[in-house]
Short mmCIF file of all heavy atoms in Angstrom, two decimals:
data_model
loop_
_atom_site.label_atom_id
_atom_site.label_comp_id
_atom_site.label_asym_id
_atom_site.label_seq_id
_atom_site.Cartn_x
_atom_site.Cartn_y
_atom_site.Cartn_z
N SER A 14 133.15 52.45 87.96
CA SER A 14 134.28 52.90 87.16
C SER A 14 134.16 52.75 85.63
O SER A 14 134.94 53.36 84.83
CB SER A 14 135.54 52.01 87.59
OG SER A 14 135.89 52.31 88.95
N VAL A 15 133.20 51.96 85.22
CA VAL A 15 133.17 51.58 83.74
C VAL A 15 133.03 52.89 82.89
O VAL A 15 133.62 52.89 81.80
CB VAL A 15 132.00 50.60 83.47
CG1 VAL A 15 132.32 49.22 84.13
CG2 VAL A 15 130.62 51.12 83.83
N MET A 16 132.27 53.87 83.36
CA MET A 16 132.18 55.09 82.52
C MET A 16 133.50 55.83 82.41
O MET A 16 133.79 56.43 81.34
CB MET A 16 131.11 55.98 83.13
CG MET A 16 129.69 55.41 83.07
SD MET A 16 128.46 56.52 83.78
CE MET A 16 128.28 57.77 82.46
N TYR A 17 134.26 55.81 83.48
CA TYR A 17 135.60 56.44 83.48
C TYR A 17 136.56 55.69 82.57
O TYR A 17 137.35 56.33 81.83
CB TYR A 17 136.12 56.55 84.88
CG TYR A 17 135.28 57.48 85.72
CD1 TYR A 17 134.26 57.05 86.46
CD2 TYR A 17 135.58 58.88 85.72
CE1 TYR A 17 133.53 57.97 87.26
CE2 TYR A 17 134.83 59.79 86.43
CZ TYR A 17 133.74 59.31 87.17
OH TYR A 17 133.00 60.17 87.93
N VAL A 18 136.53 54.37 82.66
CA VAL A 18 137.40 53.56 81.80
C VAL A 18 137.05 53.83 80.32
O VAL A 18 137.97 54.01 79.51
CB VAL A 18 137.20 52.06 82.15
CG1 VAL A 18 138.05 51.23 81.16
CG2 VAL A 18 137.70 51.81 83.61
N SER A 19 135.79 53.82 80.04
CA SER A 19 135.34 54.02 78.63
C SER A 19 135.79 55.38 78.17
O SER A 19 136.24 55.56 77.01
CB SER A 19 133.81 53.98 78.58
OG SER A 19 133.37 54.14 77.27
N MET A 20 135.61 56.42 78.96
CA MET A 20 136.03 57.77 78.57
C MET A 20 137.51 57.83 78.39
O MET A 20 138.06 58.56 77.47
CB MET A 20 135.56 58.80 79.55
CG MET A 20 135.81 60.18 79.14
SD MET A 20 135.00 61.45 80.30
CE MET A 20 135.57 62.98 79.51
N ALA A 21 138.33 57.22 79.23
CA ALA A 21 139.79 57.16 79.07
C ALA A 21 140.21 56.57 77.79
O ALA A 21 141.18 57.01 77.14
CB ALA A 21 140.38 56.49 80.31
N LEU A 22 139.47 55.51 77.36
CA LEU A 22 139.84 54.83 76.11
C LEU A 22 139.60 55.79 74.92
O LEU A 22 140.34 55.82 73.94
CB LEU A 22 139.00 53.59 75.87
CG LEU A 22 139.31 52.44 76.83
CD1 LEU A 22 138.38 51.27 76.53
CD2 LEU A 22 140.76 52.03 76.81
N LYS A 23 138.55 56.63 75.00
CA LYS A 23 138.23 57.60 73.93
C LYS A 23 139.23 58.77 73.95
O LYS A 23 139.64 59.28 72.94
CB LYS A 23 136.82 58.07 74.03
CG LYS A 23 135.77 57.01 73.79
CD LYS A 23 134.40 57.65 73.51
CE LYS A 23 133.78 58.15 74.79
NZ LYS A 23 133.30 57.04 75.63
N ALA A 24 139.59 59.16 75.18
CA ALA A 24 140.51 60.36 75.34
C ALA A 24 141.92 60.00 74.96
O ALA A 24 142.61 60.86 74.39
CB ALA A 24 140.40 60.81 76.74
N ARG A 25 142.31 58.80 75.13
CA ARG A 25 143.71 58.40 74.80
C ARG A 25 143.66 57.00 74.14
O ARG A 25 143.64 55.96 74.86
CB ARG A 25 144.66 58.34 76.00
CG ARG A 25 146.05 58.03 75.64
CD ARG A 25 146.91 57.79 76.84
NE ARG A 25 147.12 58.97 77.65
CZ ARG A 25 147.69 59.01 78.88
NH1 ARG A 25 148.01 57.90 79.36
NH2 ARG A 25 147.80 60.10 79.54
N PRO A 26 143.61 56.97 72.80
CA PRO A 26 143.55 55.59 72.15
C PRO A 26 144.65 54.60 72.58
O PRO A 26 144.35 53.39 72.53
CB PRO A 26 143.69 55.98 70.71
CG PRO A 26 143.19 57.42 70.59
CD PRO A 26 143.62 58.05 71.85
N THR A 27 145.78 55.06 72.99
CA THR A 27 146.89 54.14 73.38
C THR A 27 146.62 53.52 74.80
O THR A 27 147.38 52.60 75.14
CB THR A 27 148.24 54.81 73.33
OG1 THR A 27 148.19 55.95 74.24
CG2 THR A 27 148.60 55.31 71.92
N ALA A 28 145.58 54.04 75.43
CA ALA A 28 145.32 53.50 76.84
C ALA A 28 145.02 52.05 76.84
O ALA A 28 145.37 51.37 77.78
CB ALA A 28 144.25 54.38 77.47
N ARG A 29 144.29 51.64 75.77
CA ARG A 29 143.96 50.21 75.74
C ARG A 29 145.18 49.33 75.53
O ARG A 29 145.27 48.30 76.22
CB ARG A 29 142.96 49.97 74.57
CG ARG A 29 142.57 48.54 74.37
CD ARG A 29 141.42 48.37 73.50
NE ARG A 29 141.22 46.95 73.06
CZ ARG A 29 140.20 46.52 72.35
NH1 ARG A 29 139.17 47.38 72.08
NH2 ARG A 29 140.13 45.25 72.02
N GLU A 30 146.12 49.76 74.77
CA GLU A 30 147.37 49.02 74.60
C GLU A 30 148.12 48.95 75.88
O GLU A 30 148.64 47.87 76.30
CB GLU A 30 148.27 49.70 73.53
CG GLU A 30 147.63 49.66 72.13
CD GLU A 30 148.50 50.46 71.20
OE1 GLU A 30 149.63 50.74 71.51
OE2 GLU A 30 148.03 50.71 70.03
N GLN A 31 148.17 50.01 76.63
CA GLN A 31 148.85 50.06 77.92
C GLN A 31 148.09 49.18 78.91
O GLN A 31 148.74 48.41 79.68
CB GLN A 31 148.92 51.49 78.47
CG GLN A 31 149.64 51.59 79.78
CD GLN A 31 149.69 53.11 80.34
OE1 GLN A 31 149.35 53.97 79.60
NE2 GLN A 31 150.07 53.23 81.60
N ALA A 32 146.85 49.18 78.91
CA ALA A 32 146.02 48.34 79.83
C ALA A 32 146.27 46.85 79.51
O ALA A 32 146.40 46.09 80.44
CB ALA A 32 144.54 48.74 79.68
N THR A 33 146.32 46.52 78.21
CA THR A 33 146.60 45.17 77.85
C THR A 33 147.94 44.66 78.34
O THR A 33 148.08 43.52 78.86
CB THR A 33 146.57 45.02 76.28
OG1 THR A 33 145.22 45.38 75.87
CG2 THR A 33 146.83 43.57 75.87
N ARG A 34 148.94 45.54 78.29
CA ARG A 34 150.23 45.15 78.82
C ARG A 34 150.17 44.93 80.37
O ARG A 34 150.74 43.98 80.89
CB ARG A 34 151.31 46.22 78.53
CG ARG A 34 151.65 46.29 77.04
CD ARG A 34 152.95 47.17 76.78
NE ARG A 34 152.70 48.50 77.11
CZ ARG A 34 152.20 49.45 76.28
NH1 ARG A 34 151.95 49.09 75.03
NH2 ARG A 34 152.11 50.70 76.58
N ASP A 35 149.47 45.82 81.02
CA ASP A 35 149.27 45.68 82.49
C ASP A 35 148.56 44.37 82.86
O ASP A 35 148.95 43.69 83.81
CB ASP A 35 148.49 46.86 83.03
CG ASP A 35 149.27 48.18 82.98
OD1 ASP A 35 150.49 48.11 82.77
OD2 ASP A 35 148.62 49.24 83.23
N HIS A 36 147.53 44.06 82.04
CA HIS A 36 146.74 42.88 82.26
C HIS A 36 147.59 41.62 82.12
O HIS A 36 147.49 40.67 82.89
CB HIS A 36 145.51 42.81 81.40
CG HIS A 36 144.46 43.76 81.66
ND1 HIS A 36 143.67 44.34 80.69
CD2 HIS A 36 144.13 44.39 82.83
CE1 HIS A 36 142.78 45.18 81.23
NE2 HIS A 36 143.08 45.26 82.54
N GLN A 37 148.51 41.62 81.16
CA GLN A 37 149.36 40.50 80.90
C GLN A 37 150.33 40.38 82.08
O GLN A 37 150.64 39.22 82.53
CB GLN A 37 150.15 40.65 79.61
CG GLN A 37 151.04 39.46 79.26
CD GLN A 37 150.18 38.27 78.93
OE1 GLN A 37 149.28 38.21 78.12
NE2 GLN A 37 150.47 37.16 79.73
N ARG A 38 150.81 41.50 82.58
CA ARG A 38 151.67 41.49 83.73
C ARG A 38 150.99 40.89 85.02
O ARG A 38 151.56 40.10 85.68
CB ARG A 38 152.16 42.98 84.10
CG ARG A 38 153.19 43.49 83.19
CD ARG A 38 153.51 44.95 83.62
NE ARG A 38 154.06 44.99 84.99
CZ ARG A 38 154.05 46.09 85.69
NH1 ARG A 38 153.56 47.20 85.21
NH2 ARG A 38 154.57 46.12 86.90
N MET A 39 149.71 41.32 85.15
CA MET A 39 148.98 40.69 86.26
C MET A 39 148.83 39.20 86.14
O MET A 39 149.00 38.44 87.10
CB MET A 39 147.57 41.37 86.33
CG MET A 39 147.53 42.85 86.70
SD MET A 39 145.87 43.47 86.64
CE MET A 39 146.20 45.14 86.07
N PHE A 40 148.47 38.77 84.92
CA PHE A 40 148.26 37.33 84.68
C PHE A 40 149.54 36.55 84.92
O PHE A 40 149.60 35.53 85.52
CB PHE A 40 147.84 37.08 83.29
CG PHE A 40 147.55 35.67 82.91
CD1 PHE A 40 146.41 34.98 83.37
CD2 PHE A 40 148.48 34.99 82.13
CE1 PHE A 40 146.22 33.65 83.13
CE2 PHE A 40 148.28 33.63 81.85
CZ PHE A 40 147.14 33.02 82.30
N ASP A 41 150.68 37.12 84.44
CA ASP A 41 152.00 36.45 84.66
C ASP A 41 152.31 36.36 86.14
O ASP A 41 152.81 35.35 86.62
CB ASP A 41 153.10 37.22 83.93
CG ASP A 41 152.92 37.09 82.40
OD1 ASP A 41 152.19 36.21 81.94
OD2 ASP A 41 153.56 37.92 81.71
N ALA A 42 152.07 37.46 86.87
CA ALA A 42 152.32 37.47 88.35
C ALA A 42 151.49 36.45 89.02
O ALA A 42 151.90 35.71 89.96
CB ALA A 42 152.09 38.86 88.90
N LEU A 43 150.27 36.42 88.64
CA LEU A 43 149.28 35.44 89.30
C LEU A 43 149.74 33.96 88.96
O LEU A 43 149.72 33.03 89.82
CB LEU A 43 147.89 35.67 88.76
CG LEU A 43 147.23 36.92 89.24
CD1 LEU A 43 145.90 37.18 88.43
CD2 LEU A 43 146.87 36.96 90.71
#
């Protein structure tokens, strides 16, 4: 998946911000 994740970050710069919010949600749930 790493190539797809990398390409998504380049295609949509805001994807990293969205991913960071998701990661925080995961951490909080855990």
Side-chain angles (χ1 to χ4, degrees):
S14 297
V15 294
M16 295 180 72
Y17 292 93
V18 174
S19 181
M20 186 172 179
L22 293 180
K23 291 195 288 286
R25 183 189 294 171
T27 58
R29 178 166 166 173
E30 296 175 11
Q31 182 180 348
T33 298
R34 290 192 294 270
D35 289 348
H36 290 151
Q37 186 65 56
R38 286 177 60 200
M39 292 176 214
F40 180 76
D41 292 344
L43 293 168

